[in-house]
Amino acid sequence: MQKSAMKAWWDSSHMAGGNAAYIEEIYEAYLENPQDVAPEWREVFDQLPAVEGVEVETKHSDVRDLFKKLAQLGPAGRVSAPAASGGTDAKQVKVLQLINAYRFRGHQHANLDPLGLWKQERVRDLELSHHELSEQDFDSVYSVGSYAIGKETMPLGELFKSLNRTYCGSVGAEYMHITNTEQKRWLQQRLESVESRPAFNRDTKIAILKGLIAADGMEKYLGSKFPGAKRFSLEGGDSLIPMLKGLISHAGANGAKEVVVGMAHRGRLNVLVNVLGKNPSVLFDEFAGKHHDTLGSGDVKYHAGYSSDFATPGGDVHLALAFNPSHLEIVNPVVIGSVRARLDRRHSNDGGAVLPITIHGDSAIAGQGVVQETFNMSQTRGFSVGGTVRIVINNQVGFTTSKREDTRSTQYCTDIAKMVQAPIFHVNADDPEAVLFVTQLALEYRNTFKRDVMIDLVCYRRHGHNEADEPNATQPLMYQKVKKHPVPRELYAQQLLAEKVIEQHEVDKLVSDYRAALDHGACVVDEWRPMTEHSVDWSPYIGQEWTVPYDASLSVEKLQELGKKVCQFPEGFKLQSRVAKLYQERLNMINGEKKLDWGCAEILAYASVVEAGSRIRFTGQDSGRGTFFHRHAVLHNQKDAATYMPLQHISENQGPIEIYDSVLSEEAVMAFEYGYATAEPGALTIWEAQFGDFANGAQVVIDQFLSSGEQKWGRLCGLTLLLPHGYEGQGPEHSSARLERFLQLCADHNMQVCVPSTPAQVYAMLRRQVVRPMRRPLIVMSPKSLLRHPQAVSSLEELSSGVFHNVLAEVDELDAAKVDRVVMCSGKVYYDLLDARRKNELNNVAIIRIEQLYPFPHDDIQQVLADYQHVKEWVWCQEEPQNQGAWYCMQHNFWASIPESGKLTYAGRPASASPAVGYIAEHNRQQKTLVEDALNFKEGTE
Ligand code: AMP
């Protein structure tokens, strides 16, 4: 259009004159904040080209000029150009609104449910009449604005059809909640240019068909060979198989070197055999109850993980399917943590080298809070992985519950993804080409924008929750429909036959070949390759016990050298005054002027680990500073809020160290760190609770992964949990890290539970966790008041040996022969006992500390107790109530440690429902009593 014509149009347009002021007002609001205007207007304004010299602050008076300027821009302006024939300006705007309506709400009329049971709400915005348009206008040609079909104008009839094909076919695209215009345009371009249906070539179509044949063939085979056995069939969601293969292939072609998949039980066996290439004969043996490996307890087959390589156009990609428990969504942060470790190892900061795929169920993704936690983590510094491709196997029923009013409060099960503005592609699983299209699009979006993306694979479940279940009892109508519904491979084969892509005999051959391959028991995945590329070697850690010898010693000089480095920060970097004082004291400690406190020893442990080249990853809600102001590993410049981590400046060849204050989550963050630690044996990976009992927000991670992952799945994990614990009168929620819960989970040497009581001990314990070639979880009851306790100090010499003492002997020079009472304890109460004993000169009572409660150090304790074999009175003293702490779980070990003639008694708080009392006076009374009970004296009576 000529500039003059545009100008004439503008002058006569409804946008000029009386309406102009109104539009200007809206436009002004839009310039201030696009979110403040109605989506329809935002869409129109989004299409306006940027005008040089117009800033966001443009005020009302300038807007009129702006519109004039736009009018002069000609067709490049693209907004509401006059109809090329037969239309009016008003209609043109309506046409743009219609396009907009389809972009926003087309998904609500999309053909998504293979069973056709969804009752879709009537969306008037998608009707012509709502926009004062009608079929009478079908021949009129309008500008299509930014509609990315590759034409500037279209007859309305053609446009209307195109909009329906793009937005209301087998793909329901939800993306208009994204505020970033570039991302929106990018998605529009890809959806609209091919009307959500690209032309796939014959090879791709055959590959899709083969995938569907494999998915169906596998389930039928298992169903006939092992009738009634639980397999959590994929049937109904068969297109997941060609989808995953297509996704992995596309990822490999785009540079991915590894793909880590997390999924629950539904369809898992199918994925194992048809995507990861697990040998079917191994699976059949598992069905037959044969036991292949030598893992401890083992696990059911539909929880098993698997690893293999997969050939793609970009080279072989390593695949790992994570082991998972039945707690559906919890595996997702584990997978994402594992991906972060792999990315770190590959120095891939943008997520390019490793792709996480998480596969969800429709009820679980809407129902379980850990999903929200992982979305919230997805763009944070410490936890981002460049986006996750999330797939929902939406079979529209969770076990027996399918009524939407029972399962969720949102229209779609995927609405949670909108919290991070992820695009959501709903897709009809009976249209496998549409599925492949959105899958590729999702991956490209993830790779381009490094953000999460969601695919809602709308399918059905052919059987009950498992194959022995009767779904008609609870879903009668759905299952009447399912019974008559052809399987996906039949539907797609018919499509390809109609398209003359394949002949019937070829389809039959593909089906029989697949069945023959299963009969043969060999791998059925053409792309399967044996694992080759392995950057991590777990073999040094396999089969190692906690008693394996190691040397963690460092000379005092070396410690001082490291200590000086961790006290350095750039010139001009202004520390907060209390931090400056603490750093000065730390330097004094390093220089040998005073003994080391907890923070200093802990920092030295980290410095020594990274100096030796190992990686440290440390997260928790206040990890940088430390909840109790003792660590200060991350410094904050008081002048400009810049941060500095001295531990990152130890030496040129040091290992990397990352310390992140985490999002406020326990469950997903601990699961993430578990995933990280199971993928990175060389690192010291630490999660710290703000207060120890908050870890119970992550109880699933502790029960299902940490305490039993090695025994169930053979997956080692050296994650350390630092759980502040101690009775200082802070009440029920800030005293106990629930030691008893961890001890109750202990068996088979599955994890270590330690209660270090000196700086030298925490130093040695942390070093041991990396230097010793054993990878098992370390649960630490870490201190609060001991961080600053004047007696909880250690010398550099004590640190130098690097030995963690599982048991600490009596420290005072008592005459062992005169000792007639021995108190055993762990943690902070030791200092209360010591103090009272010294004050009251109770030299007949020896106090020993058990610093590792599990695995129980029988040999060490025998050595320490050797001089007290004559003693009859033995006491276990704890601060916790009697039904908590170590007493009940560890009593048998205490009894086993004392001489046969000895008698063991308990000194501690009385049994209590609450972990601690809330009243400080009562706390003090209890604390005094338990110390007196342990030492067998009453203050003032001795
Ligand atoms: P992945 O990279 O997770 O597929 O692991 C590849 C292989 O490394 C596995 O098949 C195991 O043999 C081994 N592996 C991976 N993670 C662990 C672990 N946490 N503990 C022991 N072995 C592991």
Side-chain angles (χ1 to χ4, degrees):
M1 187 188 303
Q2 295 298 311
K3 274 189 186 173
S4 55
M6 186 71 171
K7 173 119 184 28
W9 164 75
W10 169 257
D11 288 339
S12 64
S13 163
H14 74 289
M15 285 193 178
N19 288 340
Y22 169 62
I23 295 168
E24 284 160 16
E25 256 175 51
I26 303 175
Y27 190 63
E28 189 181 6
Y30 166 84
L31 288 174
E32 292 282 347
N33 179 3
Q35 296 310 307
D36 285 348
V37 304
E40 293 81 357
W41 279 113
R42 195 160 62 232
E43 184 61 9
V44 170
F45 293 139
D46 276 350
Q47 295 166 28
L48 296 174
V51 177
E52 250 180 89
V54 176
E55 299 293 335
V56 172
E57 303 84 53
T58 304
K59 288 295 164 215
H60 189 86
S61 54
D62 299 333
V63 176
R64 192 181 303 269
D65 293 344
L66 171 69
F67 269 85
K68 288 202 175 125
K69 215 167 170 183
L70 287 172
Q72 286 156 11
L73 279 175
R78 293 219 297 179
V79 62
S80 306
S85 72
T88 67
D89 307 333
K91 285 218 166 152
Q92 174 61 68
V93 173
K94 303 288 180 193
V95 169
L96 294 179
Q97 281 176 340
L98 179 74
I99 294 172
N100 213 29
Y102 269 82
R103 287 171 167 172
F104 267 99
R105 302 192 63 185
H107 57 87
Q108 288 181 282
H109 276 187
N111 171 30
L112 299 177
D113 178 15
L115 299 177
L117 290 172
W118 277 13
K119 290 191 186 69
Q120 282 176 321
E121 178 194 338
R122 178 173 171 194
V123 182
R124 291 191 191 277
D125 304 34
L126 302 179
E127 293 170 13
L128 291 169
S129 58
H130 181 81
H131 302 279
E132 294 165 30
L133 297 167
S134 73
E135 292 187 8
Q136 315 282 302
D137 302 309
F138 271 8
D139 292 334
S140 302
V141 178
Y142 293 94
S143 162
V144 297
S146 64
Y147 187 62
I149 191 78
K151 298 175 187 171
E152 296 220 330
T153 59
M154 271 170 110
L156 179 63
E158 203 186 303
L159 173 66
F160 192 57
K161 268 195 209 139
S162 174
L163 286 171
N164 275 291
R165 279 195 296 265
T166 305
Y167 289 110
C168 300
S170 298
V171 175
E174 271 192 282
Y175 63 90
M176 292 298 277
H177 52 277
I178 299 175
T179 48
N180 180 296
T181 307
E182 187 198 349
Q183 290 179 32
K184 250 189 318 199
R185 289 278 167 268
W186 188 96
L187 288 162
Q188 281 162 3
Q189 165 61 35
R190 276 151 186 84
L191 290 162
E192 294 167 357
S193 60
V194 295
E195 295 180 328
S196 300
R197 170 163 287 281
F200 287 113
N201 63 25
R202 182 176 187 278
D203 286 353
T204 308
K205 285 174 187 256
I206 299 292
I208 294 174
L209 181 63
K210 282 173 87 173
L212 294 176
I213 287 171
D216 185 58
M218 171 77 195
E219 298 294 352
K220 295 261 160 58
Y221 196 90
L222 289 176
S224 64
K225 278 215 150 189
F226 307 99
K230 278 190 199 177
R231 62 192 147 92
F232 299 104
S233 144
L234 179 62
E235 285 159 284
D238 307 39
S239 49
L240 181 74
I241 298 301
M243 176 189 203
L244 280 181
K245 291 183 79 172
L247 179 54
I248 295 161
S249 206
H250 204 47
N254 285 283
K257 300 287 172 230
E258 295 184 62
V259 174
V260 188
V261 185
M263 70 183 296
H265 48 271
R266 172 77 47 218
R268 192 179 176 93
L269 302 181
N270 212 312
V271 169
L272 276 168
V273 169
N274 285 323
V275 179
L276 283 108
K278 176 167 175 162
N279 201 311
S281 60
V282 175
L283 182 69
F284 301 153
D285 282 356
E286 287 167 8
F287 266 98
K290 290 187 196 154
H291 185 45
H292 268 284
D293 38 41
T294 51
L295 296 181
S297 63
D299 199 351
V300 291
K301 49 197 165 296
Y302 39 84
H303 289 166
Y306 199 72
S307 305
S308 62
D309 284 4
F310 189 98
T312 78
D316 287 359
V317 168
H318 178 67
L319 298 186
L321 175 67
F323 292 84
N324 75 298
S326 287
H327 299 57
L328 301 167
E329 295 290 333
I330 189 66
V331 74
N332 302 312
V334 174
V335 162
I336 300 170
S338 161
V339 166
R340 174 82 179 217
R342 293 165 202 259
L343 287 169
D344 284 349
R345 194 159 53 235
R346 290 175 176 277
H347 309 289
S348 173
N349 297 330
D350 64 355
V354 190
L355 172 71
I357 304 175
T358 57
I359 304 179
H360 311 252
D362 48 315
S363 290
I365 195 167
Q368 298 196 339
V370 71
V371 175
Q372 177 274 339
E373 292 188 20
T374 55
F375 272 121
N376 184 45
M377 289 155 78
S378 66
Q379 290 294 310
T380 59
R381 230 166 28 105
F383 305 94
S384 61
V385 290
T388 298
V389 174
R390 295 168 172 272
I391 300 169
V392 181
I393 302 181
N394 181 356
N395 57 30
Q396 311 185 47
V397 50
F399 210 141
T400 62
T401 308
S402 62
K403 286 197 170 53
R404 206 172 91 193
E405 58 267 34
D406 290 339
T407 55
R408 59 181 186 265
S409 301
T410 53
Q411 179 178 7
Y412 296 113
C413 61
T414 50
D415 280 10
I416 186 73
K418 289 185 186 166
M419 71 172 270
V420 291
Q421 300 194 9
I424 301 162
F425 304 110
H426 308 280
V427 60
N428 187 323
D430 266 3
D431 186 345
E433 289 186 17
V435 172
L436 188 62
F437 165 62
V438 295
T439 304
Q440 294 181 343
L441 180 56
L443 179 77
E444 284 162 23
Y445 173 87
R446 182 262 178 191
N447 285 351
T448 306
F449 298 105
K450 321 289 177 212
R451 302 183 70 89
D452 283 17
V453 56
M454 173 75 84
I455 303 170
D456 178 15
L457 184 68
V458 185
C459 55
Y460 57 92
R461 193 183 71 189
R462 186 156 288 279
H463 308 285
H465 177 66
N466 61 61
E467 290 61 34
D469 213 20
E470 175 48 84
N472 280 298
T474 47
Q475 274 73 31
L477 297 184
M478 180 186 259
Y479 277 87
Q480 284 161 26
K481 200 88 199 240
V482 167
K483 213 169 165 191
K484 292 187 212 128
H485 195 74
V487 299
R489 78 158 167 83
E490 280 169 15
L491 287 174
Y492 191 58
Q494 276 159 21
Q495 181 187 323
L496 296 196
L497 289 170
E499 289 174 9
K500 306 218 176 313
V501 170
I502 197 166
E503 307 254 337
Q504 183 63 51
H505 68 92
E506 293 173 292
V507 176
D508 295 342
K509 182 162 177 343
L510 289 176
V511 174
S512 59
D513 283 355
Y514 183 79
R515 180 154 181 124
L518 286 186
D519 277 336
H520 191 230
C523 171
V524 292
V525 178
D526 295 341
E527 299 87 346
W528 178 88
R529 297 288 177 276
M531 274 194 281
T532 47
E533 198 187 317
H534 255 301
S535 44
V536 198
D537 182 9
W538 282 88
S539 59
Y541 311 99
I542 307 273
Q544 298 287 12
E545 261 309 312
W546 68 283
T547 43
V548 60
Y550 64 95
D551 178 8
S553 62
L554 283 181
S555 67
V556 169
E557 293 70 38
K558 183 78 194 170
L559 285 171
Q560 285 183 312
E561 182 194 318
L562 291 172
K564 282 179 189 142
K565 286 184 179 159
V566 293
C567 290
Q568 273 170 13
F569 46 89
E571 277 227 8
F573 195 97
K574 187 164 171 16
L575 300 187
Q576 191 271 339
S577 57
R578 280 178 66 195
V579 181
K581 187 161 171 276
L582 187 141
Y583 260 61
Q584 184 52 51
E585 279 178 11
R586 213 170 255 183
L587 204 52
N588 296 343
M589 294 171 195
I590 298 298
N591 289 332
E593 289 166 33
K594 56 195 284 199
K595 283 192 165 185
L596 279 66
D597 66 6
W598 203 278
C600 186
E602 199 191 317
I603 290 285
L604 276 179
Y606 303 139
S608 66
V609 167
V610 288
E611 209 252 356
S614 298
R615 173 185 287 279
I616 295 182
R617 177 180 164 87
F618 190 161
T619 66
Q621 282 148 20
D622 315 285
S623 299
R625 189 198 79 169
T627 306
F628 311 102
F629 212 79
H630 84 290
R631 185 171 297 123
H632 299 286
V634 181
L635 298 173
H636 298 258
N637 191 343
Q638 299 300 298
K639 287 194 252 168
D640 60 4
T643 55
Y644 183 81
M645 215 196 289
L647 283 163
Q648 286 180 333
H649 303 273
I650 302 289
S651 82
E652 268 186 18
N653 302 320
Q654 73 171 89
I657 174 162
E658 290 167 300
I659 302 183
Y660 295 108
D661 293 342
S662 77
V663 299
L664 205 159
S665 139
E666 286 83 27
E667 186 176 9
V669 174
M670 196 197 287
F672 188 102
E673 301 309 340
Y674 170 83
Y676 196 101
T678 47
E680 184 46 273
L684 175 62
T685 311
I686 303 176
W687 179 79
E688 182 176 55
Q690 195 171 63
F691 285 93
D693 52 347
F694 293 155
N696 60 15
Q699 201 62 47
V700 178
V701 187
I702 296 163
D703 289 354
Q704 263 63 31
F705 292 91
L706 270 180
S707 64
S708 54
E710 183 183 346
Q711 286 63 34
K712 291 188 294 190
W713 311 318
R715 283 298 181 266
L716 305 175
C717 172
L719 180 63
T720 297
L721 302 188
L722 298 183
L723 309 175
H725 174 87
Y727 282 63
E728 279 106 1
Q730 289 193 55
E733 261 63 80
H734 293 108
S735 299
S736 173
R738 310 310 304 239
L739 172 64
E740 62 282 357
R741 299 235 176 107
F742 290 97
L743 293 176
Q744 191 245 335
L745 292 170
C746 288
D748 301 327
H749 289 186
N750 56 343
M751 51 191 187
Q752 313 148 86
V753 179
C754 293
V755 196
S757 66
T758 71
Q761 283 285 84
V762 75
Y763 165 88
M765 178 194 71
L766 291 168
R767 274 181 65 66
R768 178 177 79 161
Q769 189 66 354
V770 203
V771 175
R772 182 181 49 183
M774 182 203 83
R775 293 296 175 263
R776 295 230 166 96
L778 168 62
I779 315 298
V780 184
M781 299 291 115
S782 60
K784 294 175 288 171
S785 60
L786 283 199
L787 299 172
R788 272 175 272 282
H789 195 289
Q791 287 178 55
V793 288
S794 304
S795 64
L796 281 166
E797 288 71 21
E798 284 172 291
L799 267 67
S800 169
S801 78
V803 174
F804 178 74
H805 300 280
N806 298 310
V807 184
L808 286 175
E810 168 59 54
V811 293
D812 287 348
E813 284 182 15
L814 303 181
D815 180 351
K818 292 197 180 138
V819 168
D820 59 12
R821 189 175 177 87
V822 177
V823 179
M824 299 182 283
C825 65
S826 291
K828 187 208 106 199
V829 72
Y830 165 74
Y831 291 96
D832 294 347
L833 291 165
L834 184 68
D835 193 43
R837 194 204 49 205
R838 284 180 177 167
K839 243 187 351 208
N840 296 285
E841 294 173 11
L842 304 169
N843 294 336
N844 61 322
V845 186
I847 309 171
I848 64 140
R849 285 167 277 177
I850 304 180
E851 304 267 305
Q852 175 170 296
L853 283 163
Y854 192 83
F856 194 77
H858 287 285
D859 292 347
D860 299 287
I861 206 161
Q862 285 314 319
Q863 275 180 26
V864 167
L865 299 182
D867 290 345
Y868 308 119
Q869 294 305 304
H870 59 282
V871 174
K872 301 270 183 291
E873 289 180 22
W874 296 80
V875 183
W876 169 253
C877 178
Q878 65 179 34
E879 297 182 302
E880 300 86 352
Q882 191 168 11
N883 54 323
Q884 299 165 32
W887 176 239
Y888 280 143
C889 282
M890 286 287 121
Q891 220 182 107
H892 59 292
N893 290 319
F894 305 149
W895 275 106
S897 307
I898 66 174
E900 265 183 31
S901 58
K903 185 166 174 272
L904 180 71
T905 55
Y906 166 82
R909 287 186 161 75
S912 159
S914 160
V917 294
Y919 305 106
I920 189 72
E922 178 59 7
H923 162 82
N924 289 336
R925 192 196 61 74
Q926 285 184 343
Q927 192 76 10
K928 184 164 173 286
T929 307
L930 70 90
V931 169
E932 289 176 351
D933 286 352
L935 299 175
N936 195 25
F937 89 110
K938 282 267 173 270
E939 208 162 19
T941 60
E942 288 286 326

